[in-house]
Amino acid sequence: MTHSVQLLIGKDPAIGRFLNRWKVARTVELAGGWLVVPMEEKLYTAIEAASPGTTRPAQLDLSPLGLEEAMIAATHDGGALVYIETDYWGGTGGQSAMAVADGLVTRQPERSRGAGGPVNSALRAIGVTRQGDKDEFDTIGLGERRTMEDYEPEGPRRLRAGPANPAPEADPKSTLPGWVVILLVALFVGAGIAIAQFR
């Protein structure tokens, strides 16, 4: 099963300050009032363009350059944010995460291959409390949205109306039923044989 996302997670006031600074960002609400900012291309590009000369933390493979500074700025006057990235396919892959609170990095960027816990650890650092038999990841609903497409305004792909991958519509002018094609082939073959015998 696939799980591949790049997300910023938190609550107000930190998320609000982040949105005020990065106008191209948008949020998706998760369980417990937690908000997610999908790291979409236009946001990624905006953060990198505003952060020349910065570096990417070694344990984060996909984050934009300057994201750590943007998180610090958004939490400087209070609040906390987590950045996560996951990349799993067929049960293999890894995850990375970091947490920032009150303008300080509280969970250094960490990476794990396999089913490690940097994401849950970072979520705990900003106050996510596990519920029942769910870990922090599933408590806020991160397991329900498995790809960046699931964070589009229409919601998770599997919950949208209609099939996930609709079949292309056939052009009625160019498509004949199978039985008609077989009949035509048989007629042409029969006509060819008849012509060959009478020569």
Side-chain angles (χ1 to χ4, degrees):
M1 201 175 256
T2 299
H3 198 285
S4 182
V5 297
Q6 299 85 46
L7 308 168
L8 192 69
I9 304 165
K11 288 186 175 182
D12 278 330
I15 287 285
R17 285 193 295 268
F18 188 88
L19 293 174
N20 284 336
R21 168 63 179 94
W22 305 101
K23 302 294 187 193
V24 295
R26 63 179 181 81
T27 61
V28 174
E29 191 169 341
L30 294 180
W34 293 96
L35 299 170
V36 165
V37 175
M39 198 56 57
E40 297 169 310
E41 185 176 345
K42 59 189 173 186
L43 175 58
Y44 189 101
T45 302
I47 292 172
E48 284 209 340
S51 307
T54 59
T55 60
R56 178 178 295 110
Q59 301 299 317
L60 302 178
D61 298 325
L62 306 171
S63 70
L65 300 175
L67 178 63
E68 183 176 326
E69 291 79 3
M71 292 170 67
I72 289 170
T75 62
H76 190 266
D77 292 328
L81 295 172
V82 162
Y83 170 74
I84 71 164
E85 51 190 49
T86 65
D87 191 18
Y88 290 98
W89 188 83
T92 62
Q95 58 179 264
S96 300
M98 70 176 291
V100 175
D102 301 323
L104 301 170
V105 176
T106 56
R107 295 290 301 177
Q108 291 295 324
E110 181 182 359
R111 179 183 321 144
S112 171
R113 296 291 172 214
V119 170
N120 283 331
S121 182
L123 291 171
R124 276 192 302 277
I126 66 165
V128 176
T129 306
R130 59 188 310 152
Q131 302 293 315
D133 61 350
K134 296 179 181 178
D135 62 7
E136 293 81 3
F137 186 88
D138 286 324
T139 292
I140 64 173
L142 291 171
E144 296 171 14
R145 297 173 186 253
R146 306 190 67 78
T147 67
M148 293 301 287
E149 284 183 338
D150 287 342
Y151 287 92
E152 291 176 359
E154 299 83 18
R157 181 173 280 290
R158 72 183 182 294
L159 300 179
R160 296 179 197 170
N165 294 316
E169 291 185 26
D171 181 2
K173 294 179 225 161
S174 65
T175 304
L176 295 173
W179 67 270
V180 172
V181 172
I182 293 170
L183 179 64
L184 289 173
V185 169
L187 286 173
F188 285 121
V189 169
I193 292 172
I195 290 172
Q197 286 181 350
F198 292 112
R199 282 186 156 195

